[in-house]
Amino acid sequence: MALTGDLPEVGDQLPKFKLFDQQNNKVKTANLIGQVSLISVVPDLDTPVCTLQTRKFVQQADHYPAAKFYTVSNNSVAEQTGWCAAEGVQNVTLLSDEELSFGYETGLYVPNAGNLARSIWIIDETGKIVYRQIVIEQSEEPDYLAALTALEKLVPRVDA
């Protein structure tokens, strides 16, 4: 799969972009700074693997109260809102990249597919990328354990 541009590396600052939350408010890179964040990027929420990936992180979010969990897709805000209602998702923030700002700035936009490449990013409270996984085969799930292990180096897991 061909991506657009250069992917940020571990150690780089998260590039500047804008997304939209479920209330259609603009969310910029600066809004993510200040708290450890796990950003799960999915090509299309309305597909089984993307739903599974998002659900897995929804299930884990409560164990990491010191971190913020985001799911980014280029589904519209309306599509994301409908998905959340249908799936009962509450503790993960969905962000729409319908304008592809995030996709172009991170190099994750896949022009031949018209969506974002499946990936996981963890940033520290300063916005520095401390973990990334770009899933080569888009029909496969990411390595959840590796991502959560990287997250635990920054914030403790709390068992409910």
Side-chain angles (χ1 to χ4, degrees), residues 20-23 42 45-46 50-51 54-55 58 69-73 75-96:
F20 293 90
D21 67 15
Q22 296 303 287
Q23 290 72 44
V42 297
L45 276 172
D46 294 319
C50 295
T51 293
T54 303
R55 281 209 151 288
V58 165
F69 282 65
Y70 298 96
T71 294
V72 175
S73 75
N75 294 90
S76 70
V77 169
E79 290 171 328
Q80 288 185 346
T81 301
W83 183 90
C84 283
E87 295 290 326
V89 171
Q90 297 174 343
N91 58 351
V92 173
T93 302
L94 268 68
L95 298 172
S96 173

Side-chain angles (χ1 to χ4, degrees), residues 3 13 30 47 71 92 116 127 133 139 143:
L3 301 176
Q13 287 296 119
T47 60
T71 294
V92 173
L116 304 175
Q133 179 195 8
S139 62
D143 186 340

Side-chain angles (χ1 to χ4, degrees), residues 29-152:
T29 306
N31 300 118
L32 306 185
I33 307 298
Q35 187 172 13
V36 171
S37 299
L38 184 146
I39 304 168
S40 172
V41 181
V42 297
D44 182 352
L45 276 172
D46 294 319
T47 60
V49 176
C50 295
T51 293
L52 188 59
Q53 178 176 332
T54 303
R55 281 209 151 288
K56 291 237 185 192
F57 285 121
V58 165
Q59 293 166 355
Q60 293 298 318
D62 288 341
H63 295 291
Y64 301 92
K68 187 75 176 160
F69 282 65
Y70 298 96
T71 294
V72 175
S73 75
N74 61 317
N75 294 90
S76 70
V77 169
E79 290 171 328
Q80 288 185 346
T81 301
W83 183 90
C84 283
E87 295 290 326
V89 171
Q90 297 174 343
N91 58 351
V92 173
T93 302
L94 268 68
L95 298 172
S96 173
D97 190 33
E98 189 174 18
E99 294 180 358
L100 300 174
S101 170
F102 180 85
Y104 280 113
E105 293 302 322
T106 58
L108 289 172
Y109 180 58
V110 184
N112 292 347
N115 55 28
L116 304 175
R118 184 179 314 284
S119 55
I120 306 296
W121 303 79
I122 297 175
I123 60 168
D124 69 11
E125 60 280 344
T126 69
K128 183 175 80 174
I129 299 166
V130 296
Y131 175 86
R132 77 163 201 194
Q133 179 195 8
I134 313 301
V135 180
I136 302 303
E137 175 52 57
Q138 293 298 286
S139 62
E140 293 180 4
E141 294 176 71
D143 186 340
Y144 302 110
L145 184 57
L148 294 173
T149 299
L151 182 63
E152 286 175 19

